[in-house]
Amino acid sequence: MAELLITDLSRSAQLTIVERDRMQAIADEIQLSQGDRVDAATAVRAGKLIQAGRLINGQLVQTGGQLTMSASVVNVASGEIGAPANVNNSLDQLFAMEKQLVFGIFQRLNVVLTPAERQLVERRPTQNLNAFLAYSRGLMAADDGRFEDAARFFENARSLDPGFGAATTRFQAAQAAVQGAQVSSATIEANLGAGVEGQEVAAAAQGNVSDGGGISATLTAATQAVNPPTVTAVTNTERAPPPPTVPARDAPTSTTGIETLTRTGLVTFTIRRP
């Protein structure tokens, strides 16, 4: 439900919504959820930690086939809790109930939606309740750091509803997390050891040092790239070749005399919960 509310509240240009993953991290840090209830003091503390102005605090209660949702707006600065928005209906009307609840929250936030924003809010991520339940189980597994289980649940959700875009996105993220979790210092060391440089190191440890290739070739190439030789050996039967072209330096390097190498890329870190 938090995922649905965050998505719909973010449709308004008047609001900046804290991402669910960031909120989950705060919840884990201060043990926000205790016995399926959240007290106002803890909610205000969480809001201050994430530097939020207002926080939506709510609960779900199921009685037989009936589901009751309620949500209140908490003013983080003052700790004041506004009047709750309440919705009650059968479980199979879950998506319609969420829409009623989010429009009630907009009213309590004094946010007036444009026609285009209202149209976006009224969209449903999926019409398949079973797909959404599988998606919800995937979110819970991801929160617990069980990325393999999460990937399986998200895959189930998108198989039940191929048009469920959020399930596909989360599935890809969970797969990436699984692959990242498999990388350790041992696997990195094993991969390095299988290369030419690794073989050179192993041979050197046994007292066998080669006269070329491997690390030597790598270091030589790197050294010459940074500081190319200015003298070339000449024999009596050869004409001296022209001196090698010195790589052009950028303006800052020419001024300071210090080589500056810039590399750009994207690195994704996956940190498991302890």
Side-chain angles (χ1 to χ4, degrees), residues 44-214:
V44 170
R45 181 185 174 195
K48 290 180 178 178
L49 286 174
I50 60 178
Q51 298 181 342
R54 287 170 290 185
L55 190 142
I56 306 301
N57 187 16
Q59 64 178 350
L60 302 175
V61 178
Q62 183 178 358
T63 306
Q66 293 293 306
L67 188 65
T68 299
M69 303 181 186
S70 65
S72 302
V73 178
V74 181
N75 186 311
V76 175
S78 64
E80 180 183 356
I81 303 176
N86 298 298
V87 179
N88 183 278
N89 211 322
S90 58
L91 182 60
D92 59 356
Q93 296 298 315
L94 175 69
F95 298 120
M97 294 172 63
E98 187 273 335
K99 298 303 178 186
Q100 293 176 357
L101 186 65
V102 77
F103 283 125
I105 294 173
F106 277 126
Q107 277 188 330
R108 283 155 180 76
L109 291 171
N110 296 319
V111 172
V112 179
L113 298 172
T114 66
E117 289 173 343
R118 177 173 289 272
Q119 187 176 10
L120 289 174
V121 172
E122 289 175 346
R123 290 182 181 177
R124 298 186 181 185
T126 179
Q127 300 289 341
N128 190 318
L129 181 58
N130 289 327
F132 181 72
L133 292 177
Y135 177 79
S136 300
R137 295 186 184 99
L139 291 176
M140 294 176 64
D143 288 344
D144 291 337
R146 296 181 289 111
F147 299 115
E148 292 183 0
D149 292 338
R152 187 173 65 254
F153 286 128
F154 292 137
E155 172 65 14
N156 184 25
R158 71 176 190 171
S159 66
L160 291 171
D161 182 1
F164 194 175
T168 299
T169 300
R170 289 281 185 175
F171 170 73
Q172 295 170 347
Q175 275 194 321
V178 171
Q179 294 174 358
Q182 293 172 350
V183 176
S184 64
S185 58
T187 59
I188 294 175
E189 185 176 354
N191 290 335
L192 291 176
V196 176
E197 285 81 1
Q199 295 172 6
E200 290 283 336
V201 172
Q206 301 298 323
N208 301 321
V209 181
S210 64
D211 57 358

Side-chain angles (χ1 to χ4, degrees), residues 196-197 200 210-225:
V196 176
E197 285 81 1
E200 290 283 336
S210 64
D211 57 358
I215 294 177
S216 300
T218 301
L219 292 177
T220 300
T223 302
Q224 291 184 356

Side-chain angles (χ1 to χ4, degrees), residues 12 29 47 165 175 206 216 249 251 263:
S12 171
E29 181 68 22
Q175 275 194 321
Q206 301 298 323
S216 300
R249 297 183 174 186
R263 298 291 184 269

